Amino acid sequence: MAVITGKAPGKIILFGEHAVVYGQPAIAIPVAKVKAAAHVFPDFKSRAGEIHIQALDIGLDTFLSELDPQHPLAAAVNLTLAELQLEHIPAFQVQISSSIPISAGMGSGAAISAAIIRGISAFLGRPLPDSTVSTLTYEVEKIHHGNPSGIDNNVITYNKPVYYQKEQALQFLQIEKETHWVIGDTGEKTPTYETVSDLGKRHAEKPQHYDQIFQTIGGIVQEARGALIKADIKTLGRLLNENQALLCELDLSCASLDRLIQAALDAGAEGAKLSGGGRGGNMIAVASASKMDAVEKALYDAGAVNVISTKLAGVPQS
Ligand code: PMV
């Protein structure tokens, strides 16, 4: 039996993080330059049903039966097997690798889960459809994040730009022309569940104040949807800056994010904001193709530990 590989890309949120947890829309795009992979192959040395999991990047090399069922890798495997309900499971090995930066708001956890679910279900002869891959990935996300909005599992599974709102049909965005984006990593890590739960406490104390800010962000996201489809980078830039001002009001930025955002703007980006949980992690800027090199260099000069440029390819609208 050949090696079967399940894959999934990284992602970045362009607009609407945090407000999306409170029912507002948000926009996210896949980042294909970084990806997670799960290679699945038979293990002829083990007994039927034994599953050997290797994730050498994090020093993990063990059997599923030895892992805490709450461990995200174990959860992804167990949820897949529960979904498939097969009578006979051969011994197999899952080798996981990923080039997605960890805890940087690029969806590394969700991409690894989606890759495992795809790899194992295909290896066992019953490849699961994207809708199920997304649902199972969401279940694993709940273990890490408590109350995830659901945007990460969708953008990563479908590998398309998405306009996402809780309890609404998912919309895929078809972009008319190329747009260019630069992602700068501050190297500071604050887990998303921390910023989400801190904002949750403040929201519980002053719901009207925060709901108003979330609604204003929702309005920005709606306008950004049209600007993104038309690849109107002037409007996208203005909206990134407006969204960032509101994220600052929510106390989600920090000195290193502010420094990278300013450096991108000074180097000619049309707009920039933090992306994801905030208080560290990544920022994102939109720029014309001719300004990309200058923005990338300015981010490194301002202390970014990693810079990834990505473009959203133009897709003719159907
Ligand atoms: O840190 P990330 O990129 O996984 O993004 C978190 C986005 C939030 O809106 C803050 C949380 C969520 O579940 O949507």
Side-chain angles (χ1 to χ4, degrees), residues 11 13 17-18 20-21 105-106 145 147-152 192 196 276-277:
K11 72 101 214 313
I13 295 180
E17 53 276 272
H18 286 284
V20 69
V21 175
M106 294 200 69
H145 296 310
N147 181 25
S149 63
I151 192 167
D152 279 20
T192 296
V196 170

